[in-house]
Amino acid sequence: MNSSWKTIDPLAVAAQDMINTPVLAMLHTVPGLVADMETLAAGTVPGLRVMHFVDESLLHDTIAKGTTPGHVRRRLVNYARYAEESGAQALLVSCSSIGEAATAVQDFVSIPVLRIDTPMAELAVLTGDRIGVLATLPATLGPTTRLVQDSAKRRNKTPIITAKIVDGAFNALRAGDRAMHDGFVLAAFSELTAECDVVVLAQASMARVIGHTQDQPGGPIVLTSPDSGMTQLSTVFPSKDS
């Protein structure tokens, strides 16, 4: 007797769901960014599954050397390979200090390796001819400034770029004093308002002060990497409706 009933294999269904689920890997050097970054990513790509790698030593060793040392670069390659082997369709690096090294990792994997600050640099060049770059670490200021310069060069633009370290802010944050960190950032921002059309906050950890920068009417446009950085996910995970 023939039956119209079909046996459903729950494991097969689960496996198919896994195949259809978009997966993003993120690499962080600051544990406190994980929750906010996942929220932003999930809001950008519906149904996104995010796997997080957190390694504070990548930033610590980069700060100590003043540049990204060889062993950090090798670990970045390993993280990218692990992300690919784990089924991620892309790796997003949320630390601007190791951004240049992250770009070089692309040669070792087939999935896209994305810098969180790339869209921010592009937007800065499109927004103004006088660009300020604020960072709390020299290890971040250099890579972010060069990223803005490269973006300008690709568009045949020659903006005036003013790069500034926010003295004391990183130590305050490391000591757990967020209010002091934010105060230092806002003070440095105020020094740039008269000479810049747009100000780039180079580190994701600086993004939360953006609301306070808008207290100054007529001031420069302020850009942060977390929000703008997520826009590039649409190229990796296109909408099913598109």
Side-chain angles (χ1 to χ4, degrees), residues 1-115:
M1 179 177 180
N2 293 329
S3 174
S4 60
W5 293 97
K6 293 183 179 180
T7 302
I8 298 176
D9 184 348
L11 293 179
V13 172
Q16 187 62 42
D17 287 342
M18 289 290 289
I19 293 173
N20 294 332
T21 300
V23 181
L24 172 69
M26 287 193 194
L27 175 60
H28 312 280
T29 59
V30 178
L33 293 177
V34 171
D36 288 343
M37 288 292 189
E38 175 150 4
T39 299
L40 287 172
T44 304
V45 182
L48 182 69
R49 181 167 68 89
V50 183
M51 61 177 73
H52 297 279
F53 307 135
V54 181
D55 189 340
E56 295 177 89
S57 71
L58 299 175
L59 179 58
H60 179 274
D61 293 354
T62 297
I63 293 171
K65 293 293 185 180
T67 187
T68 311
H71 68 277
V72 169
R73 293 174 179 270
R74 289 190 290 274
R75 289 212 299 274
L76 284 171
V77 171
N78 289 336
Y79 278 118
R81 286 173 170 165
Y82 184 64
E84 184 173 30
E85 291 167 358
S86 299
Q89 283 100 53
L91 172 65
L92 178 63
V93 179
S94 68
C95 179
S96 297
S97 296
I98 59 174
E100 290 174 325
T103 300
V105 166
Q106 186 63 77
D107 293 337
F108 298 90
V109 291
S110 60
I111 62 173
V113 178
L114 310 173
R115 290 179 62 166

Side-chain angles (χ1 to χ4, degrees), residues 158-213:
T158 55
I160 298 172
I161 301 174
T162 303
K164 183 177 180 62
I165 286 289
V166 185
D167 293 323
F170 180 75
N171 288 335
L173 186 62
R174 187 163 56 179
D177 195 334
R178 292 191 172 190
M180 180 178 289
H181 165 273
D182 295 354
F184 282 137
V185 172
L186 289 171
F189 170 79
S190 296
E191 295 175 8
L192 291 179
T193 54
E195 56 186 286
C196 295
D197 306 313
V198 55
V199 174
V200 167
L201 302 182
Q203 285 143 273
S205 56
M206 303 168 73
R208 64 177 175 271
V209 308
I210 191 170
H212 298 292
T213 64

